[in-house]
Amino acid sequence: MASATAPTTLSLLKTAASSTSTAARASLLPVSTSGLRTTSLRGLGFSAADPLFSSHVVSKIRSLKSNGKAPRAVVSMAKKSNITDDTRIRAAIPTIKYLISNGAKVILSSHLGRPKGKTSDDCIGPEVEKLVASLPDGAVLLLENVRFYKEEEKNEPEFAKKLASLADLYVNDAFGTAHRAHASTEGVTKFLKPSVAGFLLQKELDYLVGAVSTPKGHLLPLWVVLRSHPRLESLSRSWRSVISSFWVEAKAKGVSLLLPSDVIIADKFAPDANSKIVPASAIPDGWMGLDIGPESVKTFNEALGTTQTVIWNGPMGVFEFEKFAVGTEAIAKKLAELSGKGVTTIIGGGDSVAAVEKVGVADVMSHISTGGGASLELLEGKALPGVLALDEVVRVAV
């Protein structure tokens, strides 16, 4: 962040058709949740060049440099102390690299969970302003977890203003938090112009909005698997009611809805549980379904073979246990096969991403979403606060 006399915050620009943004809340660097870090990313060697975004950001940087200062960029991202999935980290690096390669001082705004207590380092205040002021061109500053402040999730204007005072412009590359109106994702845009979308955020919008509005051929919108667990057994009647209602609505709209015909059940929720295959409607008391069965795999794969666009959100079962990963791995491999034939395959974040990574087919998918809840809300047609807060592109007739 920058001092009050030289405010600087950077986010990539959102446009009606070509960009949208929220502070990047994906883990960009393997850092701890405490302490500020200043790190140069010049050696990462990424490139990204959207013409509209490029001209917008470069012109902003040049105008600031002409006044004797380098712009500082704020990107919001989620960090973890122990990284189990670096998908979001890798996905956000191109935006950061682009900014620093154009001479920006990049400030990363991060969050992790919902922490309790206090921290010695900070994301606002005099000490942070000093660090920002001493930041060299093309360097990166990682701020402390913004969620140590309760004002972050409450989106309090004064807190957002303090965050914004550190920067000149705002770039949001955190699609995973675009559905939340927090201070670092929505509030800061009221104090920083331009406020724009990063490359990752724009890619998410292009694929997810495009898949629904102009799908190629048939669209298989969503795979849903309700994982069974002893603590969820009391909810089974409610789930059956939901599925029944969903079935009626789908039928009325002429939408095919496929449910497992057979499942692999277990006598306990453990990797070494006893298992057997039974019809989906005949799970004995005391047992739970942890994967789809071979007939279901065959049915689903046949249905997938008729599609041109697939959005997959949700594994077929508890794929973390090898014994119950067969269904999930089979679907992942089928999607990889379809990708090679030109089918658009979109993996909808969270466990689905972990599944295709585990099978080793993530690289062949059309798009790996970092969204999770944001992806689902966008597909439902809901407005995302972090996207709406970004600047719209003003189109000029030539």
Side-chain angles (χ1 to χ4, degrees), residues 10-15 19-24 74 170-175 177-178 184-186 189 194-202 205 384-391:
L10 207 134
S11 271
L12 300 182
L13 170 70
K14 160 206 166 185
T15 77
S19 62
T20 352
S21 131
T22 63
V74 171
Y170 174 78
V171 179
N172 188 337
D173 215 20
F175 180 68
T177 56
S184 64
T185 62
E186 195 269 346
T189 65
S195 290
V196 302
F199 297 119
L200 171 60
L201 181 57
Q202 185 58 51
L205 295 171
L384 304 184
V387 171
L388 294 179
L390 301 175
D391 299 344

Side-chain angles (χ1 to χ4, degrees), residues 91 175 199-208 310-312 339 343-349 353 356 362-371 375:
F175 180 68
F199 297 119
L200 171 60
L201 181 57
Q202 185 58 51
K203 184 181 179 183
E204 294 275 14
L205 295 171
D206 289 344
Y207 268 98
L208 295 174
V310 180
I311 301 173
W312 184 24
S339 293
V343 173
T344 298
T345 52
I346 301 171
I347 310 303
V353 175
V356 295
D363 290 344
V364 302
M365 300 300 174
S366 303
H367 178 57
I368 301 291
S369 179
T370 59
S375 298

Side-chain angles (χ1 to χ4, degrees), residues 33-35 116-123 144-145 147-149:
T33 58
S34 62
K116 296 179 180 179
K118 299 180 179 180
T119 176
S120 57
D121 296 305
D122 218 329
C123 60
E144 180 54 274
N145 187 352
R147 286 191 179 176
F148 276 112
Y149 284 87

